[in-house]
């Protein structure tokens, strides 16, 4: 191991969502993971803050943050920046994103970028921002245009970007939430699905935005709910290769209402029933056993960005859609095909930062594998960055130029 004084352990978490039922279990499981890795710099990224019923549940977000800040596990973190987009009354700007950063007392020199003043500022004390994120110069926040996803009357999808200077290495942290599959039936129609194209368009927009000429280019790390799904058509063809298909249409519109796959023998047992918001497969163990690795061949959406984004090997089961029953922490809901929709990706220069700095990747995993934490399992990445990372290669790799 590199001597402690020469490195900084960095810890990134993606949470989604935060609702009333999940708060206490989320905090407990989070603290267990925190104590295990003991990061100096902690980034906590949340999507859908307040949960699905955010108008009623937004107060639980504040409770979560207060409980977190006052917990024994966080007592050694003497600086914090918390950005919560809670202003759900603003349809034009509301993203329901939350980006929270906690700095350990042993980390003496860390700076936060002011996008308006175009300079880094030393981080002191603890500050919490909500409702006024549009006027906060320490971040960039944007909501995707409505025409990106016309199926949803009021989408909350978008991104928040912050920039940091840690151990003489500057980098961007981007909290992002992309569009979901509105209908299993539509997603199944063709390969790749129409929703896949929508997500690619939105993610491409974010990547272009954070690498444009408005600011110096630095390595970037993306965290969030990308909603990237397995290729539905190909997955179903694989799972139901020996089954017969029955299509059921609505009597009033003649549109496809459900698709049923049955075994050809065994009393024609139902293997899979597919509806707009139903994906009921006979054997959920397919998605859990060996962390669902055999099905990763159908996880193709990131491949479009293989020249711009990288992800570490996935060693945990699909992060969505888990049961929201607190007694069923490992059970998937029969609403969508389970997939690793949550993740943490980094740019080419972010990858170089990891390699150049002799990074020890402690773990890329989920939190609370046996605990109900909402319909998503939080995902975390823990690693170490050596002091001075990026400096020797700043000229060689232009996107790593430090300010």
């Amino acid at each position: 191991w590199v001597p402690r004084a020469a490195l900084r352990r960095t810890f990134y978490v993606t949470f989604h969502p935060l609702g009333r039922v999940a708060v206490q279990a989320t905090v407990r499981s989070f603290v267990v993971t925190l104590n295990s890795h003991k990061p100096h710099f902690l980034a906590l990224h949340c999507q859908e803050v307040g949960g699905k019923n955010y108008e009623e549940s937004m107060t639980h977000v504040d409770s979560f943050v207060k409980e977190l800040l006052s917990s024994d596990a966080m007592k050694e973190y003497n600086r914090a920046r918390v950005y919560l987009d809670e202003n759900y009354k603003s349809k034009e700007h509301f993203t329901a994103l939350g980006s929270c950063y906690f700095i350990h007392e042993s980390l003496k020199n860390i700076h936060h970028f002011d996008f308006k003043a175009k300079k880094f500022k030393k981080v002191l004390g603890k500050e919490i921002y909500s409702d006024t994120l549009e006027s906060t110069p320490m971040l960039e926040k944007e909501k995707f245009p409505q025409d990106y996803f016309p199926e949803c009357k009021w989408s909350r999808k978008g991104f928040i970007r912050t920039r940091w200077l840690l151990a003489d290495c500057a980098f961007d942290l981007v909290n992002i939430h992309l569009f979901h599959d509105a209908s299993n039936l539509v997603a199944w129609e063709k390969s790749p699905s129409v929703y896949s194209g929508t997500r690619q368009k939105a993610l491409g927009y974010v990547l272009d935005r954070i690498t444009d000429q408005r600011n110096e280019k630095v390595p970037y790390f993306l965290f969030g709910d990308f909603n990237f799904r397995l290729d539905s058509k190909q997955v179903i063809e694989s799972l139901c290769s020996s089954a017969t298909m029955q299509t059921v249409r609505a009597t009033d519109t003649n549109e496809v209402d459900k698709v049923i796959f049955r075994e050809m023998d065994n009393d024609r047992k139902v293997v899979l029933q597919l509806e707009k918001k139903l994906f009921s497969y006979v054997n959920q163990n397919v998605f859990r056993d060996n962390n669902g690795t055999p099905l990763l061949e159908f996880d193709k959406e990131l491949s479009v960005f293989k020249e711009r984004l990288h992800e570490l090997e996935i060693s945990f089961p699909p992060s969505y859609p888990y049961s929201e029953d607190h007694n069923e922490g490992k059970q998937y809901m029969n609403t969508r095909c389970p997939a690793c929709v949550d993740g943490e990706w980094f740019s080419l220069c972010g990858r170089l930062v990891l390699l150049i700095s002799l990074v020890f990747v402690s773990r890329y995993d989920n939190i609370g594998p046996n605990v109900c934490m909402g319909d998503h399992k939080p995902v975390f990445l823990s690693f170490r960055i050596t002091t001075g990372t990026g400096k020797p290669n700043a000229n060689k790799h232009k996107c790593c130029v430090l300010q």
Side-chain angles (χ1 to χ4, degrees), residues 255-313:
E255 294 182 353
V256 176
D257 188 52
K258 65 180 68 174
V259 180
I260 303 173
F261 296 86
R262 299 178 183 273
E263 294 184 0
M264 288 186 283
D265 49 19
N266 194 24
D267 296 328
R268 293 185 53 76
K269 180 180 178 181
V270 174
V271 178
L272 171 67
Q273 182 164 322
L274 192 70
E275 299 178 18
K276 180 179 180 178
K277 294 186 177 181
L278 178 70
F279 187 98
S280 181
Y281 185 63
V282 67
N283 180 20
Q284 283 198 0
N285 289 331
V286 169
F287 305 102
R288 286 191 291 261
D289 290 349
N290 196 24
N291 295 321
T293 301
L295 295 176
L296 288 179
E297 66 173 296
F298 307 114
D299 189 2
K300 301 179 177 180
E301 291 197 40
L302 182 58
S303 63
V304 177
F305 300 95
K306 63 183 179 181
E307 301 300 324
R308 306 178 73 178
L309 291 174
H310 302 267
E311 182 181 24
L312 297 179
E313 182 178 351

Side-chain angles (χ1 to χ4, degrees), residues 286-389:
V286 169
F287 305 102
R288 286 191 291 261
D289 290 349
N290 196 24
N291 295 321
T293 301
L295 295 176
L296 288 179
E297 66 173 296
F298 307 114
D299 189 2
K300 301 179 177 180
E301 291 197 40
L302 182 58
S303 63
V304 177
F305 300 95
K306 63 183 179 181
E307 301 300 324
R308 306 178 73 178
L309 291 174
H310 302 267
E311 182 181 24
L312 297 179
E313 182 178 351
I314 297 174
S315 59
F316 47 87
S319 62
Y320 170 86
Y322 279 92
S323 171
E324 295 179 292
D325 185 331
H326 67 277
N327 295 313
E328 299 180 342
K330 297 178 67 174
Q331 185 76 12
Y332 288 110
M333 286 192 290
N334 292 325
T335 53
R336 308 288 183 187
C337 177
C340 290
V341 303
D342 308 279
E344 307 186 352
W345 304 338
F346 40 88
S347 63
L348 173 61
C349 283
R351 182 169 181 266
L352 289 171
V353 164
L354 301 188
L355 296 175
I356 293 166
S357 60
L358 300 177
V359 166
F360 295 87
V361 178
S362 299
R363 204 167 177 185
Y364 181 40
D365 207 344
N366 63 13
I367 294 178
N370 302 315
V371 179
C372 174
M373 302 181 74
D375 56 353
H376 290 245
K377 292 288 186 191
V379 174
F380 75 90
L381 172 65
S382 174
F383 60 88
R384 296 191 175 200
I385 298 180
T386 351
T387 301
T389 297

Side-chain angles (χ1 to χ4, degrees), residues 142-286:
E142 221 173 305
K143 181 176 177 178
F144 296 121
Q146 181 65 49
D147 59 6
Y148 271 39
F149 196 61
E151 292 90 341
C152 187
K153 294 181 180 179
W154 184 23
S155 170
R156 298 182 295 279
K157 306 303 189 289
F159 70 94
I160 289 178
R161 169 198 192 186
T162 58
R163 177 168 291 189
W164 302 86
L165 183 62
L166 167 64
D168 295 324
C169 179
F171 53 87
D172 282 348
L173 300 180
V174 183
N175 182 7
I176 187 170
H177 193 183
L178 298 181
F179 303 102
H180 62 283
D181 284 7
S183 168
N184 292 320
L185 295 171
V186 173
W188 178 65
E189 288 177 352
K190 63 178 183 177
S191 173
S193 76
V194 62
Y195 304 120
S196 175
T198 302
R199 286 187 285 270
Q200 290 174 16
K201 180 180 179 181
L203 182 55
Y205 174 84
V206 174
L207 294 179
D208 291 342
R209 174 66 184 82
I210 65 177
T211 57
D212 63 21
Q213 301 302 314
R214 279 176 262 193
N215 296 285
E216 292 285 343
K217 292 183 180 180
V218 298
Y220 55 85
F221 297 80
L222 274 62
F223 311 85
D225 178 5
F226 299 93
N227 263 314
F228 278 7
R229 311 298 174 98
L230 302 180
D231 189 300
S232 294
K233 187 173 182 62
Q234 294 186 8
V235 168
I236 292 173
E237 289 174 350
S238 175
L239 296 176
C240 305
S241 59
S242 60
T244 59
M245 184 181 75
Q246 173 191 1
T247 301
V248 180
R249 295 182 178 274
T251 54
D252 53 344
T253 63
N254 200 38
E255 294 182 353
V256 176
D257 188 52
K258 65 180 68 174
V259 180
I260 303 173
F261 296 86
R262 299 178 183 273
E263 294 184 0
M264 288 186 283
D265 49 19
N266 194 24
D267 296 328
R268 293 185 53 76
K269 180 180 178 181
V270 174
V271 178
L272 171 67
Q273 182 164 322
L274 192 70
E275 299 178 18
K276 180 179 180 178
K277 294 186 177 181
L278 178 70
F279 187 98
S280 181
Y281 185 63
V282 67
N283 180 20
Q284 283 198 0
N285 289 331
V286 169

